[in-house]
PDB file of all heavy atoms in Angstrom:
ATOM      1  N   LEU A   1     -22.372   0.794 -50.347  1.00  0.00           N
ATOM      2  CA  LEU A   1     -23.464  -0.148 -50.124  1.00  0.00           C
ATOM      3  C   LEU A   1     -22.942  -1.576 -49.980  1.00  0.00           C
ATOM      4  O   LEU A   1     -23.422  -2.343 -49.128  1.00  0.00           O
ATOM      5  CB  LEU A   1     -24.474  -0.060 -51.260  1.00  0.00           C
ATOM      6  CG  LEU A   1     -25.235   1.268 -51.377  1.00  0.00           C
ATOM      7  CD1 LEU A   1     -26.115   1.268 -52.620  1.00  0.00           C
ATOM      8  CD2 LEU A   1     -26.074   1.531 -50.127  1.00  0.00           C
ATOM      9  N   VAL A   2     -21.957  -1.938 -50.787  1.00  0.00           N
ATOM     10  CA  VAL A   2     -21.374  -3.286 -50.691  1.00  0.00           C
ATOM     11  C   VAL A   2     -20.718  -3.486 -49.333  1.00  0.00           C
ATOM     12  O   VAL A   2     -20.864  -4.551 -48.704  1.00  0.00           O
ATOM     13  CB  VAL A   2     -20.365  -3.527 -51.829  1.00  0.00           C
ATOM     14  CG1 VAL A   2     -19.567  -4.810 -51.586  1.00  0.00           C
ATOM     15  CG2 VAL A   2     -21.089  -3.613 -53.164  1.00  0.00           C
ATOM     16  N   CYS A   3     -20.007  -2.478 -48.849  1.00  0.00           N
ATOM     17  CA  CYS A   3     -19.386  -2.573 -47.524  1.00  0.00           C
ATOM     18  C   CYS A   3     -20.450  -2.731 -46.441  1.00  0.00           C
ATOM     19  O   CYS A   3     -20.276  -3.505 -45.489  1.00  0.00           O
ATOM     20  CB  CYS A   3     -18.531  -1.340 -47.244  1.00  0.00           C
ATOM     21  SG  CYS A   3     -17.014  -1.255 -48.197  1.00  0.00           S
ATOM     22  N   GLY A   4     -21.556  -2.000 -46.584  1.00  0.00           N
ATOM     23  CA  GLY A   4     -22.637  -2.123 -45.621  1.00  0.00           C
ATOM     24  C   GLY A   4     -23.241  -3.514 -45.613  1.00  0.00           C
ATOM     25  O   GLY A   4     -23.534  -4.081 -44.553  1.00  0.00           O
ATOM     26  N   LEU A   5     -23.429  -4.084 -46.802  1.00  0.00           N
ATOM     27  CA  LEU A   5     -23.963  -5.442 -46.891  1.00  0.00           C
ATOM     28  C   LEU A   5     -23.004  -6.454 -46.275  1.00  0.00           C
ATOM     29  O   LEU A   5     -23.417  -7.351 -45.532  1.00  0.00           O
ATOM     30  CB  LEU A   5     -24.221  -5.797 -48.363  1.00  0.00           C
ATOM     31  CG  LEU A   5     -25.370  -5.055 -49.055  1.00  0.00           C
ATOM     32  CD1 LEU A   5     -25.386  -5.401 -50.540  1.00  0.00           C
ATOM     33  CD2 LEU A   5     -26.703  -5.389 -48.406  1.00  0.00           C
ATOM     34  N   ALA A   6     -21.723  -6.316 -46.587  1.00  0.00           N
ATOM     35  CA  ALA A   6     -20.721  -7.228 -46.030  1.00  0.00           C
ATOM     36  C   ALA A   6     -20.700  -7.151 -44.512  1.00  0.00           C
ATOM     37  O   ALA A   6     -20.568  -8.168 -43.822  1.00  0.00           O
ATOM     38  CB  ALA A   6     -19.345  -6.898 -46.605  1.00  0.00           C
ATOM     39  N   ALA A   7     -20.827  -5.946 -43.993  1.00  0.00           N
ATOM     40  CA  ALA A   7     -20.833  -5.762 -42.539  1.00  0.00           C
ATOM     41  C   ALA A   7     -22.030  -6.452 -41.908  1.00  0.00           C
ATOM     42  O   ALA A   7     -21.910  -7.106 -40.862  1.00  0.00           O
ATOM     43  CB  ALA A   7     -20.853  -4.267 -42.223  1.00  0.00           C
ATOM     44  N   THR A   8     -23.185  -6.312 -42.528  1.00  0.00           N
ATOM     45  CA  THR A   8     -24.401  -6.941 -42.005  1.00  0.00           C
ATOM     46  C   THR A   8     -24.264  -8.451 -41.983  1.00  0.00           C
ATOM     47  O   THR A   8     -24.593  -9.108 -40.982  1.00  0.00           O
ATOM     48  CB  THR A   8     -25.616  -6.536 -42.862  1.00  0.00           C
ATOM     49  OG1 THR A   8     -25.814  -5.124 -42.752  1.00  0.00           O
ATOM     50  CG2 THR A   8     -26.877  -7.258 -42.394  1.00  0.00           C
ATOM     51  N   PHE A   9     -23.770  -9.033 -43.057  1.00  0.00           N
ATOM     52  CA  PHE A   9     -23.627 -10.485 -43.120  1.00  0.00           C
ATOM     53  C   PHE A   9     -22.539 -10.985 -42.174  1.00  0.00           C
ATOM     54  O   PHE A   9     -22.643 -12.086 -41.630  1.00  0.00           O
ATOM     55  CB  PHE A   9     -23.351 -10.927 -44.557  1.00  0.00           C
ATOM     56  CG  PHE A   9     -24.562 -10.861 -45.446  1.00  0.00           C
ATOM     57  CD1 PHE A   9     -24.547 -10.113 -46.611  1.00  0.00           C
ATOM     58  CD2 PHE A   9     -25.723 -11.527 -45.108  1.00  0.00           C
ATOM     59  CE1 PHE A   9     -25.664 -10.046 -47.428  1.00  0.00           C
ATOM     60  CE2 PHE A   9     -26.849 -11.473 -45.918  1.00  0.00           C
ATOM     61  CZ  PHE A   9     -26.824 -10.726 -47.088  1.00  0.00           C
ATOM     62  N   ALA A  10     -21.497 -10.183 -41.974  1.00  0.00           N
ATOM     63  CA  ALA A  10     -20.455 -10.574 -41.015  1.00  0.00           C
ATOM     64  C   ALA A  10     -21.023 -10.647 -39.608  1.00  0.00           C
ATOM     65  O   ALA A  10     -20.732 -11.582 -38.851  1.00  0.00           O
ATOM     66  CB  ALA A  10     -19.295  -9.573 -41.074  1.00  0.00           C
ATOM     67  N   GLN A  11     -21.838  -9.658 -39.245  1.00  0.00           N
ATOM     68  CA  GLN A  11     -22.455  -9.668 -37.929  1.00  0.00           C
ATOM     69  C   GLN A  11     -23.427 -10.834 -37.791  1.00  0.00           C
ATOM     70  O   GLN A  11     -23.458 -11.525 -36.768  1.00  0.00           O
ATOM     71  CB  GLN A  11     -23.182  -8.341 -37.681  1.00  0.00           C
ATOM     72  CG  GLN A  11     -23.777  -8.189 -36.295  1.00  0.00           C
ATOM     73  CD  GLN A  11     -22.723  -8.081 -35.206  1.00  0.00           C
ATOM     74  OE1 GLN A  11     -21.603  -7.639 -35.443  1.00  0.00           O
ATOM     75  NE2 GLN A  11     -23.077  -8.509 -33.996  1.00  0.00           N
ATOM     76  N   MET A  12     -24.215 -11.075 -38.828  1.00  0.00           N
ATOM     77  CA  MET A  12     -25.191 -12.162 -38.784  1.00  0.00           C
ATOM     78  C   MET A  12     -24.518 -13.525 -38.653  1.00  0.00           C
ATOM     79  O   MET A  12     -25.039 -14.423 -37.981  1.00  0.00           O
ATOM     80  CB  MET A  12     -26.060 -12.135 -40.045  1.00  0.00           C
ATOM     81  CG  MET A  12     -27.161 -13.185 -40.050  1.00  0.00           C
ATOM     82  SD  MET A  12     -28.164 -13.158 -41.563  1.00  0.00           S
ATOM     83  CE  MET A  12     -26.990 -13.823 -42.759  1.00  0.00           C
ATOM     84  N   ALA A  13     -23.359 -13.685 -39.285  1.00  0.00           N
ATOM     85  CA  ALA A  13     -22.673 -14.969 -39.283  1.00  0.00           C
ATOM     86  C   ALA A  13     -22.333 -15.435 -37.878  1.00  0.00           C
ATOM     87  O   ALA A  13     -22.222 -16.642 -37.625  1.00  0.00           O
ATOM     88  CB  ALA A  13     -21.399 -14.878 -40.125  1.00  0.00           C
ATOM     89  N   PHE A  14     -22.174 -14.483 -36.945  1.00  0.00           N
ATOM     90  CA  PHE A  14     -21.795 -14.850 -35.586  1.00  0.00           C
ATOM     91  C   PHE A  14     -22.992 -14.956 -34.643  1.00  0.00           C
ATOM     92  O   PHE A  14     -22.827 -15.303 -33.482  1.00  0.00           O
ATOM     93  CB  PHE A  14     -20.782 -13.835 -35.042  1.00  0.00           C
ATOM     94  CG  PHE A  14     -19.412 -14.008 -35.626  1.00  0.00           C
ATOM     95  CD1 PHE A  14     -19.065 -13.380 -36.798  1.00  0.00           C
ATOM     96  CD2 PHE A  14     -18.482 -14.841 -35.027  1.00  0.00           C
ATOM     97  CE1 PHE A  14     -17.808 -13.552 -37.364  1.00  0.00           C
ATOM     98  CE2 PHE A  14     -17.225 -15.026 -35.573  1.00  0.00           C
ATOM     99  CZ  PHE A  14     -16.888 -14.379 -36.744  1.00  0.00           C
ATOM    100  N   ASN A  15     -24.201 -14.642 -35.142  1.00  0.00           N
ATOM    101  CA  ASN A  15     -25.389 -14.785 -34.298  1.00  0.00           C
ATOM    102  C   ASN A  15     -26.627 -14.865 -35.195  1.00  0.00           C
ATOM    103  O   ASN A  15     -27.432 -13.941 -35.249  1.00  0.00           O
ATOM    104  CB  ASN A  15     -25.503 -13.605 -33.332  1.00  0.00           C
ATOM    105  CG  ASN A  15     -26.416 -13.916 -32.157  1.00  0.00           C
ATOM    106  OD1 ASN A  15     -27.115 -14.930 -32.162  1.00  0.00           O
ATOM    107  ND2 ASN A  15     -26.413 -13.055 -31.160  1.00  0.00           N
ATOM    108  N   MET A  16     -26.772 -15.999 -35.868  1.00  0.00           N
ATOM    109  CA  MET A  16     -27.837 -16.139 -36.849  1.00  0.00           C
ATOM    110  C   MET A  16     -29.229 -16.196 -36.232  1.00  0.00           C
ATOM    111  O   MET A  16     -30.216 -15.906 -36.910  1.00  0.00           O
ATOM    112  CB  MET A  16     -27.599 -17.397 -37.699  1.00  0.00           C
ATOM    113  CG  MET A  16     -26.385 -17.316 -38.591  1.00  0.00           C
ATOM    114  SD  MET A  16     -26.282 -18.753 -39.688  1.00  0.00           S
ATOM    115  CE  MET A  16     -24.829 -18.325 -40.658  1.00  0.00           C
ATOM    116  N   GLN A  17     -29.317 -16.584 -34.996  1.00  0.00           N
ATOM    117  CA  GLN A  17     -30.620 -16.736 -34.359  1.00  0.00           C
ATOM    118  C   GLN A  17     -31.026 -15.516 -33.539  1.00  0.00           C
ATOM    119  O   GLN A  17     -32.013 -15.562 -32.788  1.00  0.00           O
ATOM    120  CB  GLN A  17     -30.613 -17.982 -33.470  1.00  0.00           C
ATOM    121  CG  GLN A  17     -30.374 -19.283 -34.226  1.00  0.00           C
ATOM    122  CD  GLN A  17     -31.363 -19.466 -35.363  1.00  0.00           C
ATOM    123  OE1 GLN A  17     -32.571 -19.345 -35.178  1.00  0.00           O
ATOM    124  NE2 GLN A  17     -30.855 -19.750 -36.558  1.00  0.00           N
ATOM    125  N   SER A  18     -30.314 -14.420 -33.691  1.00  0.00           N
ATOM    126  CA  SER A  18     -30.607 -13.230 -32.910  1.00  0.00           C
ATOM    127  C   SER A  18     -31.912 -12.578 -33.352  1.00  0.00           C
ATOM    128  O   SER A  18     -32.206 -12.475 -34.544  1.00  0.00           O
ATOM    129  CB  SER A  18     -29.465 -12.218 -33.031  1.00  0.00           C
ATOM    130  OG  SER A  18     -29.802 -11.021 -32.362  1.00  0.00           O
ATOM    131  N   ASP A  19     -32.682 -12.123 -32.375  1.00  0.00           N
ATOM    132  CA  ASP A  19     -33.892 -11.349 -32.628  1.00  0.00           C
ATOM    133  C   ASP A  19     -33.665  -9.860 -32.374  1.00  0.00           C
ATOM    134  O   ASP A  19     -34.600  -9.067 -32.410  1.00  0.00           O
ATOM    135  CB  ASP A  19     -35.041 -11.830 -31.738  1.00  0.00           C
ATOM    136  CG  ASP A  19     -35.559 -13.189 -32.186  1.00  0.00           C
ATOM    137  OD1 ASP A  19     -35.753 -13.367 -33.404  1.00  0.00           O
ATOM    138  OD2 ASP A  19     -35.766 -14.067 -31.325  1.00  0.00           O
ATOM    139  N   ILE A  20     -32.406  -9.480 -32.107  1.00  0.00           N
ATOM    140  CA  ILE A  20     -32.077  -8.082 -31.846  1.00  0.00           C
ATOM    141  C   ILE A  20     -31.985  -7.314 -33.165  1.00  0.00           C
ATOM    142  O   ILE A  20     -31.259  -7.720 -34.075  1.00  0.00           O
ATOM    143  CB  ILE A  20     -30.735  -7.960 -31.095  1.00  0.00           C
ATOM    144  CG1 ILE A  20     -30.786  -8.718 -29.771  1.00  0.00           C
ATOM    145  CG2 ILE A  20     -30.371  -6.497 -30.868  1.00  0.00           C
ATOM    146  CD1 ILE A  20     -31.793  -8.167 -28.792  1.00  0.00           C
ATOM    147  N   PRO A  21     -32.715  -6.210 -33.308  1.00  0.00           N
ATOM    148  CA  PRO A  21     -32.612  -5.421 -34.543  1.00  0.00           C
ATOM    149  C   PRO A  21     -31.204  -4.852 -34.711  1.00  0.00           C
ATOM    150  O   PRO A  21     -30.638  -4.279 -33.785  1.00  0.00           O
ATOM    151  CB  PRO A  21     -33.633  -4.296 -34.328  1.00  0.00           C
ATOM    152  CG  PRO A  21     -34.595  -4.825 -33.311  1.00  0.00           C
ATOM    153  CD  PRO A  21     -33.758  -5.688 -32.405  1.00  0.00           C
ATOM    154  N   ASN A  22     -30.638  -5.054 -35.899  1.00  0.00           N
ATOM    155  CA  ASN A  22     -29.342  -4.471 -36.244  1.00  0.00           C
ATOM    156  C   ASN A  22     -29.575  -3.221 -37.076  1.00  0.00           C
ATOM    157  O   ASN A  22     -30.297  -3.260 -38.073  1.00  0.00           O
ATOM    158  CB  ASN A  22     -28.493  -5.463 -37.052  1.00  0.00           C
ATOM    159  CG  ASN A  22     -28.070  -6.668 -36.234  1.00  0.00           C
ATOM    160  OD1 ASN A  22     -28.204  -6.686 -35.023  1.00  0.00           O
ATOM    161  ND2 ASN A  22     -27.588  -7.690 -36.907  1.00  0.00           N
ATOM    162  N   LEU A  23     -28.957  -2.124 -36.691  1.00  0.00           N
ATOM    163  CA  LEU A  23     -29.146  -0.878 -37.426  1.00  0.00           C
ATOM    164  C   LEU A  23     -27.925   0.001 -37.269  1.00  0.00           C
ATOM    165  O   LEU A  23     -27.191  -0.112 -36.291  1.00  0.00           O
ATOM    166  CB  LEU A  23     -30.400  -0.138 -36.942  1.00  0.00           C
ATOM    167  CG  LEU A  23     -30.416   0.504 -35.551  1.00  0.00           C
ATOM    168  CD1 LEU A  23     -31.637   1.412 -35.420  1.00  0.00           C
ATOM    169  CD2 LEU A  23     -30.459  -0.518 -34.416  1.00  0.00           C
ATOM    170  N   GLY A  24     -27.710   0.865 -38.263  1.00  0.00           N
ATOM    171  CA  GLY A  24     -26.598   1.795 -38.188  1.00  0.00           C
ATOM    172  C   GLY A  24     -25.741   1.798 -39.437  1.00  0.00           C
ATOM    173  O   GLY A  24     -25.657   0.792 -40.150  1.00  0.00           O
ATOM    174  N   ALA A  25     -25.100   2.927 -39.679  1.00  0.00           N
ATOM    175  CA  ALA A  25     -24.216   3.086 -40.827  1.00  0.00           C
ATOM    176  C   ALA A  25     -22.784   2.665 -40.514  1.00  0.00           C
ATOM    177  O   ALA A  25     -21.911   2.760 -41.371  1.00  0.00           O
ATOM    178  CB  ALA A  25     -24.229   4.551 -41.287  1.00  0.00           C
ATOM    179  N   SER A  26     -22.555   2.170 -39.302  1.00  0.00           N
ATOM    180  CA  SER A  26     -21.186   1.908 -38.857  1.00  0.00           C
ATOM    181  C   SER A  26     -20.431   0.944 -39.760  1.00  0.00           C
ATOM    182  O   SER A  26     -19.244   1.131 -40.029  1.00  0.00           O
ATOM    183  CB  SER A  26     -21.198   1.361 -37.420  1.00  0.00           C
ATOM    184  OG  SER A  26     -21.890   2.213 -36.551  1.00  0.00           O
ATOM    185  N   GLY A  27     -21.100  -0.126 -40.213  1.00  0.00           N
ATOM    186  CA  GLY A  27     -20.416  -1.105 -41.042  1.00  0.00           C
ATOM    187  C   GLY A  27     -19.977  -0.536 -42.373  1.00  0.00           C
ATOM    188  O   GLY A  27     -18.851  -0.767 -42.822  1.00  0.00           O
ATOM    189  N   ALA A  28     -20.868   0.223 -43.022  1.00  0.00           N
ATOM    190  CA  ALA A  28     -20.518   0.845 -44.296  1.00  0.00           C
ATOM    191  C   ALA A  28     -19.406   1.871 -44.108  1.00  0.00           C
ATOM    192  O   ALA A  28     -18.474   1.962 -44.928  1.00  0.00           O
ATOM    193  CB  ALA A  28     -21.749   1.505 -44.913  1.00  0.00           C
ATOM    194  N   ILE A  29     -19.489   2.638 -43.030  1.00  0.00           N
ATOM    195  CA  ILE A  29     -18.470   3.653 -42.758  1.00  0.00           C
ATOM    196  C   ILE A  29     -17.141   2.993 -42.408  1.00  0.00           C
ATOM    197  O   ILE A  29     -16.066   3.498 -42.762  1.00  0.00           O
ATOM    198  CB  ILE A  29     -18.943   4.601 -41.647  1.00  0.00           C
ATOM    199  CG1 ILE A  29     -20.164   5.386 -42.143  1.00  0.00           C
ATOM    200  CG2 ILE A  29     -17.830   5.558 -41.221  1.00  0.00           C
ATOM    201  CD1 ILE A  29     -20.871   6.188 -41.075  1.00  0.00           C
ATOM    202  N   ALA A  30     -17.194   1.837 -41.747  1.00  0.00           N
ATOM    203  CA  ALA A  30     -15.963   1.089 -41.476  1.00  0.00           C
ATOM    204  C   ALA A  30     -15.288   0.715 -42.789  1.00  0.00           C
ATOM    205  O   ALA A  30     -14.054   0.699 -42.891  1.00  0.00           O
ATOM    206  CB  ALA A  30     -16.271  -0.161 -40.656  1.00  0.00           C
ATOM    207  N   GLY A  31     -16.096   0.416 -43.821  1.00  0.00           N
ATOM    208  CA  GLY A  31     -15.532   0.154 -45.139  1.00  0.00           C
ATOM    209  C   GLY A  31     -14.817   1.366 -45.699  1.00  0.00           C
ATOM    210  O   GLY A  31     -13.755   1.249 -46.319  1.00  0.00           O
ATOM    211  N   VAL A  32     -15.384   2.542 -45.480  1.00  0.00           N
ATOM    212  CA  VAL A  32     -14.741   3.793 -45.903  1.00  0.00           C
ATOM    213  C   VAL A  32     -13.395   3.949 -45.192  1.00  0.00           C
ATOM    214  O   VAL A  32     -12.398   4.348 -45.803  1.00  0.00           O
ATOM    215  CB  VAL A  32     -15.657   4.990 -45.607  1.00  0.00           C
ATOM    216  CG1 VAL A  32     -14.927   6.311 -45.873  1.00  0.00           C
ATOM    217  CG2 VAL A  32     -16.931   4.908 -46.443  1.00  0.00           C
ATOM    218  N   LEU A  33     -13.358   3.619 -43.911  1.00  0.00           N
ATOM    219  CA  LEU A  33     -12.104   3.717 -43.159  1.00  0.00           C
ATOM    220  C   LEU A  33     -11.070   2.730 -43.682  1.00  0.00           C
ATOM    221  O   LEU A  33      -9.876   3.048 -43.757  1.00  0.00           O
ATOM    222  CB  LEU A  33     -12.352   3.453 -41.670  1.00  0.00           C
ATOM    223  CG  LEU A  33     -13.385   4.339 -40.965  1.00  0.00           C
ATOM    224  CD1 LEU A  33     -13.408   4.043 -39.469  1.00  0.00           C
ATOM    225  CD2 LEU A  33     -13.118   5.813 -41.221  1.00  0.00           C
ATOM    226  N   GLY A  34     -11.534   1.527 -44.057  1.00  0.00           N
ATOM    227  CA  GLY A  34     -10.616   0.540 -44.621  1.00  0.00           C
ATOM    228  C   GLY A  34      -9.994   1.022 -45.915  1.00  0.00           C
ATOM    229  O   GLY A  34      -8.800   0.814 -46.166  1.00  0.00           O
ATOM    230  N   ALA A  35     -10.804   1.682 -46.757  1.00  0.00           N
ATOM    231  CA  ALA A  35     -10.271   2.229 -48.002  1.00  0.00           C
ATOM    232  C   ALA A  35      -9.336   3.401 -47.734  1.00  0.00           C
ATOM    233  O   ALA A  35      -8.285   3.539 -48.375  1.00  0.00           O
ATOM    234  CB  ALA A  35     -11.425   2.677 -48.903  1.00  0.00           C
TER     235      ALA A  35
END
């Protein structure tokens, strides 16, 4: 869950004004790959 949150905030940091819905387990799973 922490990896998923970090991924969401990382994506948001580069486009804070986006109205595009962000969805998917990719960020959390990327954390699993990092571990």
Side-chain angles (χ1 to χ4, degrees):
L1 294 175
V2 169
C3 289
L5 291 173
T8 296
F9 286 123
Q11 185 68 27
M12 183 181 71
F14 285 88
N15 199 349
M16 293 186 177
Q17 298 306 309
S18 175
D19 288 315
I20 301 296
N22 293 348
L23 70 168
S26 306
I29 295 170
V32 173
L33 304 186

